[in-house]
Amino acid sequence: MSAVEVVQLLVSPAHRYMGRPSDGPSPAHDGEIVLRAQVRANLGLVGDRYYGRPAHRDAAVTLMAAENLPVDIDPAVDLRQTRRNVLLRGVDIDALVGATVSLDTGAGPVLLAVRRPARPCAWMDAVIGPGAQRALRGKGGVRCTPLTDGELAVGPAEFTVVAPSAQG
């Protein structure tokens, strides 16, 4: 178990990056950055664009390490640009593909199966700045399946690797 911080949570009801990056993103929704998010097993974050979508059930929640944000390109970059759901400080989440992890922000542990990398797309260069897509390669976060119901909140948290990846 290690102490981490949930820096930011994003629960967005709609996709913002559709079409060509040169056309720019759709407008942001008020309230997509939240202090608390409800998690439902095998469904995702209540109110999020991927919640309960069959195509995304195995990857409905995305986690990203704050240490990997390309702040050298844009010092103000956060989840509004990367479109990940949970921004963590203090854990190399990208190294845990294949593992099952527990994140407890005070309301009890939420188990997440870390399924695959969340690969950065060309939109990153359009919304963060030139070079952001390349800067995020291999460290753009991970896509997870929530295995338990629970609540996540911004602030201090306990992070545990419950079951390691089969690769390592």
Side-chain angles (χ1 to χ4, degrees):
M1 182 175 5
S2 60
V4 299
E5 178 187 3
V6 175
V7 177
Q8 197 175 43
L9 294 168
L10 181 131
V11 178
S12 181
H15 292 276
R16 292 197 55 220
Y17 302 160
M18 298 174 68
R20 295 183 175 150
S22 60
D23 296 335
S26 301
H29 291 269
D30 289 338
E32 66 183 9
I33 296 294
V34 298
L35 295 177
R36 297 186 178 286
Q38 295 298 312
V39 181
R40 295 292 173 257
N42 300 306
L43 296 173
L45 301 178
V46 176
D48 191 66
R49 63 207 179 277
Y50 294 126
Y51 182 80
R53 302 277 176 137
H56 296 281
R57 281 208 181 129
D58 71 334
V61 178
T62 53
L63 308 179
M64 183 175 188
E67 293 84 353
N68 291 336
L69 288 173
V71 294
D72 56 326
I73 296 171
D74 179 356
V77 64
D78 65 17
L79 293 182
R80 285 173 281 231
Q81 291 85 29
T82 65
R83 308 307 291 165
R84 307 307 187 238
N85 298 115
V86 182
L87 187 61
L88 295 172
R89 179 173 287 122
V91 64
D92 181 7
I93 195 67
D94 295 282
L96 297 174
V97 171
T100 299
V101 301
S102 169
L103 184 60
D104 188 344
T105 61
V110 173
L111 293 179
L112 300 158
V114 182
R115 300 290 189 203
R116 62 183 184 264
R119 301 203 192 316
C121 65
W123 277 99
M124 297 300 97
D125 285 354
V127 297
I128 298 171
Q133 180 182 15
R134 181 181 303 257
L136 288 168
R137 281 192 191 135
K139 51 188 176 179
V142 293
R143 301 193 70 187
C144 304
T145 302
L147 301 176
T148 58
D149 290 352
E151 180 180 84
L152 298 176
V154 170
E158 292 180 353
F159 183 88
T160 306
V161 176
V162 177
S165 155
Q167 293 95 3

